[in-house]
Amino acid sequence: MKHTPLTYIYPYLMILSDGHFRVSNMTGKSKICTLVLLLYVTEVAGAMVNNSECPVILETSNGTTGPKPVLEKHESALLILLGFGGFSVILALIHNAIRKHVFHDKNNLDTTFDAGGDVSTSLTAVTVASQLFWPADILQSATITTKIGIAGPFWYSVSVILNIFIFPIFSVYFKTRAPGAKTYLQIINARFGKKAHIVFCCFALVTNMVIMTALLLAGKSTIQSLTKDISDEYILLIMATLFGSYSLIGGIGTTFYVSYFNACLIFISLAVFIVNVLHNNDSDNKNIGNAARMYNVVSCVQGPAENTGSSFLTFRSGVGIIYGVVGFFAASAVTYCDQASWQSRIAAKPMQGVWGFILAGFMWLAIPSTMATTTGIAYIAISAENSTHLLTPDQIDHGLVTPFIAEKLLGPTGGIMILTILSMALMSTGSGEVMAISSIIVYDIYQIYVRPFRKGLPGTHCILCGKHVRLPKSDILVPLTTNTNSKEDSDTPASDNTHCDCQPVANCHQCDEDMRRCAVKRTYDAIPLHRCTVHGQYRTYQNVLMDFKNWCIVWVTVGIIPFGMIVFAIGIDLNWIFYVGAIVTIPCYPAVILSIVWVKATSQGLIAGGILGLLIGLAAMLGTASTYEGGLNNFLLNTSQDYSILAGSCCSFGFSLVGCMIVSFYTHTIKTDADADAEWKKIFDIDNPLHPWELNLRQDLKQHVYDKKPSYNQVEATFRKAKITAYVCGGLSICLVTFVIPGIMASFPVLNETQFEIWVGLTQAWAVVMGAIAIVAPPVEEILNIRKQYRKNREHGIPYPI
């Protein structure tokens, strides 16, 4: 303990550096007075020092503090609906104009759900990162920081980014083995039939419901915390309108544009937080303003007992590793079982998708490592001033740490800024969920079970004529310009009525006439008449699906309101649904991956593994929850305990994977390479005859020659480089974020001030670099793509939409 010199109190008293004192030139009476004064001052000084000694234990809040509403109800509605909703509608109109006048595919049903299938690398990156910004980064990662310190967002980031870097490998398999598929459920239907398809349609819809629940809960907690006297019904009406408005107009393509602006807004807001928390020495709060000041305060606050030294400033955290494991499974469920993830992530070509994911992973890493550390540590530092949490446990679990800190630092402006970020994030992710549910209903329910074009058609038969499709002539090189109807190029004589001889839509003159006629005069009160004898009926059928798609989006949007009322009435919080909800969806994860990468997977295996994982995962979670105080009577609290979630997640994934593989191993019929080729051909033939995937990949396949479409071997050879890139770059990235960086950070038991400042400085620098890329690259690349397509149109003279 450092003593204060007392020579200013009594001129004859001198305190030496070793803590001893001597009295000189004093009389006996003076010596007695000096000793009395010394004892008194020492006791007072000691009391003052003891009051500031470590550790500071944060008491539970009494609920008198928290974010204060800064907007009136009408102001919040105007900001969200007219401001961000109106802005998104404008983006949707711009996207529609581009697709209509430049790419000429506005009226294509598939474009609604894949944005044309040629999304740029940078736009893919910001979309993938943006859709993961919420709710993990903005709210949930800050919640974890307040509970276990800097280890929370760090290990959470490692778990989530692991999935981002793994996904490019599976996306390449998806895009090369089933290039025409728009949902992963189409693959399951083509390979495994009706029973497996129905089971995993249920899993997919439950996944969408879990994610939609998380969005509604987070939107409610944030909007209510910043808006005065707003009701649940009003909030749901705002969010439903926000989710469905521009989805109906622009489809999934507008989501990419909105995601870009969402990413820009988040990086700009992050810069504001960094400046006010770490670079503002004039801050009104003495505990924040720079890294050194925050370190001195937070280092004295007692953290969880599972952390090394019970410190908030250590990466050695048992709870943090648990969050990492659980976060991995939760992120896996969101990434691989959510149709919104697939349709946003496979909208790019294989190579662009691979690089987009790698870039998205590093872009995403900049957010939780900086945002959560900044807001979470700032919350702990401010709370330490009075040794009391400023938010109740319920408020923390509802994700109000970031809104509270924003309002604390920036006043009403901070509250409006957070509401702005969350509104943009809600639009990006919420509309993706609306589109995902709609795509499942259109492609996997209505088109297959309610109103198929041809009932009971085998997968190897042409949907247009119902005849058997000839195998691609992979061994006979035929130029693209070859007349496919000539005798020397066909596999069978022209008079053969058992095989399909349908003209490709790109070479169909009757379709050209139909499109010219529709471009000149289109009737909106009736289905346009298509006269092409080959494609006309199917084109009319696609128009029916387009109309149904519009109504589907409307009804899904309307259904958000009663669904949200049920969710709000149950009383669950964001933390509970984010982790416990994942246990229900994780069993779908192994089945989806195996259906894409393992030829011996079977319908029996996938069904058995999915159901087994679900039942045992729920049983493990409930069994572990029953061991806590109160058991299952305290259901919401105990089922969301760390070990309850860990047990449920591990069992759900493990038993699902083992069940799928063991049952498939004993029920598969794959004996030869020919059997394997026939199995993969089931999904390779998934296609839309009006907009075949070959047209989208023709430029990439220009070194090959083929008849109507390339063979699997040709596609595989074309995108082998993309697959190698996915394995190498993904593997190196995984090693970096899973072993190298964690190994370095975990080598320090508890960070000292210098180490803390270096860590904070590195995260800030990384955020600045990724922010610059996210803001600059997408518009530049998008403009170049539009310009390239415009020049191509002028060269080939394409005056009308196809």
Side-chain angles (χ1 to χ4, degrees), residues 144-184:
I144 298 174
T145 306
T146 62
K147 293 182 177 181
I148 61 179
I150 60 175
F154 176 77
W155 290 109
Y156 179 83
S157 299
V158 170
S159 66
V160 175
I161 202 173
L162 187 61
N163 281 285
I164 301 177
F165 289 142
I166 292 175
F167 195 88
I169 299 172
F170 299 129
S171 70
V172 171
Y173 278 104
F174 190 107
K175 291 292 288 185
T176 55
R177 288 180 172 171
K182 304 304 174 186
T183 71
Y184 70 83

Side-chain angles (χ1 to χ4, degrees), residues 728-744:
V728 174
C729 295
L732 292 176
S733 300
I734 290 171
C735 290
L736 177 65
V737 301
T738 308
F739 300 106
V740 178
I741 296 178
I744 294 173

Side-chain angles (χ1 to χ4, degrees), residues 73-93:
K73 185 164 58 174
H74 68 279
E75 293 174 334
S76 182
L78 288 174
L79 176 65
I80 295 175
L81 294 182
L82 293 185
F84 311 118
F87 175 70
S88 299
V89 169
I90 292 173
L91 289 179
L93 295 174

Side-chain angles (χ1 to χ4, degrees), residues 194-215:
K194 181 178 179 179
K195 292 182 180 179
H197 185 248
I198 292 175
V199 169
F200 287 95
C201 277
C202 294
F203 269 117
L205 292 174
V206 169
T207 302
N208 292 130
M209 292 172 63
V210 168
I211 297 173
M212 185 64 74
T213 300
L215 292 174

Side-chain angles (χ1 to χ4, degrees), residues 202-405:
C202 294
F203 269 117
L205 292 174
V206 169
T207 302
N208 292 130
M209 292 172 63
V210 168
I211 297 173
M212 185 64 74
T213 300
L215 292 174
L216 295 177
L217 288 172
K220 174 193 173 185
S221 62
T222 306
I223 294 174
Q224 278 189 340
S225 68
L226 300 172
T227 307
K228 301 174 183 177
D229 303 322
I230 190 168
S231 64
D232 292 347
E233 297 82 0
Y234 198 78
I235 292 173
L236 287 171
L237 182 62
I238 290 175
M239 287 195 285
T241 305
L242 201 64
F243 293 171
S245 57
Y246 74 90
S247 300
L248 180 64
I249 299 172
I252 194 72
T254 310
T255 302
F256 285 92
Y257 286 7
V258 172
S259 296
Y260 164 71
F261 286 99
N262 180 38
C264 294
L265 187 61
I266 289 177
F267 276 108
I268 293 171
S269 301
L270 180 59
V272 174
F273 276 117
I274 291 173
V275 170
N276 281 274
V277 175
L278 298 171
H279 302 281
N280 185 12
N281 291 322
D282 297 329
S283 174
D284 294 334
N285 194 293
K286 64 181 181 180
N287 289 347
I288 61 175
N290 58 60
R293 191 185 299 177
M294 289 176 62
Y295 176 85
N296 291 333
V297 176
V298 177
S299 61
C300 279
V301 180
Q302 180 172 304
E306 295 86 352
N307 287 10
T308 298
S310 298
S311 173
F312 280 114
L313 300 174
T314 179
F315 292 95
R316 296 183 182 180
S317 171
V319 182
I321 294 176
I322 291 175
Y323 269 108
V325 175
V326 171
F328 171 79
F329 291 119
S332 299
V334 172
T335 302
Y336 299 101
C337 307
D338 181 17
Q339 171 55 27
S341 298
W342 284 99
Q343 67 188 21
S344 295
R345 290 156 171 76
I346 63 174
K349 292 182 179 180
M351 183 59 80
Q352 286 85 344
V354 169
W355 283 116
F357 267 90
I358 301 299
L359 180 59
F362 290 110
M363 195 178 291
W364 183 89
L365 182 62
I367 299 301
S369 59
T370 308
M371 174 78 83
T373 300
T374 302
T375 58
I377 296 298
Y379 170 82
I380 296 173
I382 295 175
S383 297
E385 186 174 352
N386 296 315
S387 300
T388 303
H389 275 285
L390 300 178
L391 296 175
T392 64
D394 285 342
Q395 289 174 324
I396 293 174
D397 286 337
H398 277 86
L400 296 183
V401 172
T402 300
F404 173 75
I405 291 299

Side-chain angles (χ1 to χ4, degrees), residues 2 12 15 29 73 149 159 196 258 274 399 469 494 524 534 536 624 639 644 665 740 745 781-782:
K2 183 178 180 181
Y12 299 102
I15 303 299
K29 184 176 181 180
K73 185 164 58 174
S159 66
V258 172
I274 291 173
V469 178
Y524 291 93
V534 178
T624 308
T639 52
S644 298
F665 184 79
V740 178
M745 302 315 300
E781 200 168 5
E782 189 71 4

